[in-house]
Amino acid sequence: LFEGATKDILSLCDKIISLGKGLTVVSSSGSCVGMMKHEAHEIMGVDDPRLHDVSVRSRDFSEFLMDEYRNGELDTSQFRSIDITVPYHQPCQVKSQGMGFPAVQLMELIPGVKVLESNEPCCGIAGTYGLKA
């Protein structure tokens, strides 16, 4: 059932592995990170050491920056204050990964930024997947 998708995901894994062993893989797409970290194995049944290698190194963009901050690698001392309130809706694909709210935490590292989370479970259209040409 998933032969083509399995071939594609393993091809992507090969490409990522060729870029450097042990490097953190960063994506700005929650659905892509979710596929690499969970869905390819849990839903598609892909059981391949290449997928495992890439999945344990994969991070959402905000998750990556917050990891860097917690590890002392992201210096926020030069951030200038911005007096702004930002409404934010976390994508379901990020929520489903159980990583918390790294984008909110990241924005709140900026002095003066207040984030108001929508607390809604879904946008109702599956992001761009719900749109047709």
Side-chain angles (χ1 to χ4, degrees):
L1 178 63
F2 297 117
E3 288 177 24
T6 298
K7 181 181 173 187
D8 289 344
I9 194 117
L10 292 177
S11 175
L12 175 59
C13 288
D14 289 339
K15 178 64 177 177
I16 289 170
I17 291 167
S18 76
L19 297 174
K21 200 78 165 139
L23 298 175
T24 302
V25 181
V26 180
S27 176
S28 60
S29 169
S31 57
C32 290
V33 170
M35 175 60 81
M36 298 301 288
K37 289 169 83 171
H38 308 288
E39 295 163 1
H41 177 72
E42 295 169 9
I43 295 173
M44 295 172 49
V46 178
D47 186 20
D48 189 287
R50 294 171 290 174
L51 174 63
H52 177 74
D53 174 58
V54 171
S55 71
V56 298
R57 299 186 284 127
S58 295
R59 299 287 180 274
D60 168 80
F61 181 74
S62 297
E63 180 186 28
F64 166 74
L65 289 176
M66 286 308 299
D67 285 348
E68 293 296 297
Y69 174 73
R70 284 189 279 278
N71 292 330
E73 298 297 324
L74 178 63
D75 179 12
T76 60
S77 67
Q78 300 298 311
F79 286 7
R80 290 187 288 159
S81 183
I82 304 171
D83 188 23
I84 189 170
T85 298
V86 180
Y88 176 73
H89 173 73
Q90 180 157 300
C92 338
Q93 294 94 344
V94 174
K95 287 179 186 174
S96 70
Q97 296 179 53
M99 68 176 75
F101 292 85
V104 171
Q105 295 170 332
L106 181 62
M107 287 185 278
E108 289 180 340
L109 290 176
I110 302 168
V113 172
K114 180 180 179 182
V115 180
L116 302 175
E117 219 291 313
S118 71
N119 294 313
E120 289 297 319
C122 183
C123 69
I125 195 167
T128 56
Y129 301 116
L131 303 176
K132 292 186 179 181

